[in-house]
Structure formats: C-alpha cells, structure tokens
Amino acid sequence: MSESASTHPRSIDLVSHQECQLVVIDVQEKLIPLIPVAKKLILRIQQLVQAAQIFQIPISCTEQYSKGLGCTIPELSELLPTPIEKIRFSASECLGWGTAANTIDSRTKIVLTGLEAHVCIQQTALDLLAAGYRVIIPIDAVASRNQLDWNIAIKRMENSGAEITSTESILFEWCEVAGTDEFKQISRLITGKQ
C-alpha cells in the first residue's frame, strides 16, 4: 500500500486541503506601504494562494472600502478571484457562508491571511469561530502596521480558539506526502526554484 493511500489515522488538528478554504483580507495599495514586513507578507500570501490553486482549495479575497484604501496590490490581484467589497471590518458577513454546521461541504477550516491582524483579521477570525469554523492563522502571512498590535492580536485570536501556525507548515500539511507532483510544485514554491 502506498503512503498516499495510508489507512493510518490522521490528526484532526492537521490542516487537510480537502477541508480548507483560503481567505485573503484587504492587501490593498494604500495599506501595504505602511506595513514594515510587506515584502515577506506578500511572498507568504503568494505561496499560500499558489498552493491553494494546486490543491483546488477555494479562495476568497476582500477589499476594505477600496474607494479610500485602493485595490488589491497587483502582485496578488493577478492570482486572486474578484475581490468582495466590504465596509464592515469583519469579512465574515460578506463571505456569506453562514454557520459551519450549515455548510454544504466539509470545508470548515479557514486559513486567514492579509491585513491588518488586529482589525479585519481578528474580527473575521472571532466571527468565524463564533459560527463554528476552525480558523487557522499563518502568523507570517498576517501583519499590522505596529508590532504591538500584531502581538496582541495573535495572542487574543489564539486564546479565543484560532490555531496559530506558519505558511510552510500549512503548505506541507496540504501536501501530506513527498514524491507527488503536488509536492514538487510546493517545494518549488518554497525554494523559489522553477
């Protein structure tokens, strides 16, 4: 029996690509210049988006009051679906998913990325948790203008039940095994080698 067909039980805490959705929140033209870790943030979100495409994971993208904050940055907009416009800080309502108990598929693990950790990411995470979703925060793919705000937001979301991890951990959990075409593509995303 191959490893990919293993009957060994997997932990429910792992982030299976069959159960996930990816949400990219408000990575917009007027916000990104204010983010000290912008270059790294963009790279990590690109990796998550490209990996989600490899595994056919649904992707949603939001923009907060684009009239004032501009559009999603070009480095990401070319990879993402049409953004959902919002003015409420939490993206939960505009995503239109309802509660996890009423979802029509098993995609109840939500990977949240984007800006800002202490505002739209945090409010979305808390609302999704209240709706019964499992929320996964890759800490290197969310950011705030200020480190203190980011630190407090990560701690608060974790204390509220969000799972804190890293982009690379998510990519390898989506992958599960080495030696597949998907693994090779993920390895190239991580190393930057084509």
Side-chain angles (χ1 to χ4, degrees), residues 2 20 26 28 47 61 68-69 83 95-96 99 111 119 128 140 148 152 162 168 183 190:
S2 73
C20 277
D26 308 346
Q28 292 167 254
Q47 289 172 332
C61 173
L69 296 176
L95 292 169
T99 65
V111 177
V119 185
L128 289 174
D140 53 348
L148 177 63
I152 293 169
E168 196 165 310
F183 169 77
I190 291 168

Side-chain angles (χ1 to χ4, degrees), residues 57-118:
I57 295 168
I59 304 168
S60 300
C61 173
T62 68
E63 289 179 351
Q64 178 74 22
Y65 185 61
S66 58
K67 183 179 177 183
L69 296 176
C71 297
T72 300
I73 60 169
E75 299 95 311
L76 294 175
S77 64
E78 62 191 25
L79 300 172
L80 292 167
T82 302
I84 303 165
E85 176 80 15
K86 67 185 180 71
I87 55 170
R88 184 180 299 275
F89 295 122
S90 172
S92 179
E93 184 179 325
C94 75
L95 292 169
W97 295 338
T99 65
N102 294 327
T103 188
I104 58 171
D105 59 25
S106 60
R107 295 189 181 274
T108 57
K109 293 182 180 179
I110 313 302
V111 177
L112 292 184
T113 68
L115 299 173
E116 286 191 75
H118 65 296

Side-chain angles (χ1 to χ4, degrees), residues 168-188:
E168 196 165 310
S169 290
I170 291 171
L171 298 183
F172 281 112
E173 287 177 38
W174 283 350
C175 209
E176 290 189 41
V177 297
T180 63
D181 287 339
E182 291 87 359
F183 169 77
K184 292 172 187 170
Q185 292 176 69
I186 295 300
S187 295
R188 286 193 293 270

Side-chain angles (χ1 to χ4, degrees), residues 1-8 177 180:
M1 180 182 298
S2 73
E3 280 190 60
S4 61
S6 174
T7 57
H8 187 74
V177 297
T180 63

Side-chain angles (χ1 to χ4, degrees), residues 11-157:
S11 169
I12 62 168
D13 291 323
L14 291 169
V15 186
S16 164
H17 68 268
Q18 295 97 336
E19 300 173 308
C20 277
Q21 298 187 59
L22 175 66
V23 182
V24 180
I25 296 179
D26 308 346
V27 188
Q28 292 167 254
E29 295 164 326
K30 292 189 180 175
L31 282 175
I32 205 72
L34 306 175
I35 304 299
V37 295
K39 187 175 178 181
K40 182 179 176 185
L41 174 77
I42 294 165
L43 173 64
R44 295 296 181 240
I45 295 174
Q46 286 171 327
Q47 289 172 332
L48 285 162
V49 169
Q50 290 169 324
Q53 292 167 340
I54 291 166
F55 290 108
Q56 298 180 0
I57 295 168
I59 304 168
S60 300
C61 173
T62 68
E63 289 179 351
Q64 178 74 22
Y65 185 61
S66 58
K67 183 179 177 183
L69 296 176
C71 297
T72 300
I73 60 169
E75 299 95 311
L76 294 175
S77 64
E78 62 191 25
L79 300 172
L80 292 167
T82 302
I84 303 165
E85 176 80 15
K86 67 185 180 71
I87 55 170
R88 184 180 299 275
F89 295 122
S90 172
S92 179
E93 184 179 325
C94 75
L95 292 169
W97 295 338
T99 65
N102 294 327
T103 188
I104 58 171
D105 59 25
S106 60
R107 295 189 181 274
T108 57
K109 293 182 180 179
I110 313 302
V111 177
L112 292 184
T113 68
L115 299 173
E116 286 191 75
H118 65 296
V119 185
C120 296
I121 299 289
Q122 180 172 259
Q123 291 189 34
T124 302
L126 296 177
D127 280 346
L128 289 174
L129 288 164
Y133 291 92
R134 287 185 58 192
V135 175
I136 297 94
I137 308 290
I139 61 170
D140 53 348
V142 299
S144 293
R145 287 164 292 141
N146 300 304
Q147 184 71 33
L148 177 63
D149 288 327
W150 180 91
N151 290 341
I152 293 169
I154 295 300
K155 184 174 182 179
R156 183 175 179 199
M157 288 186 285

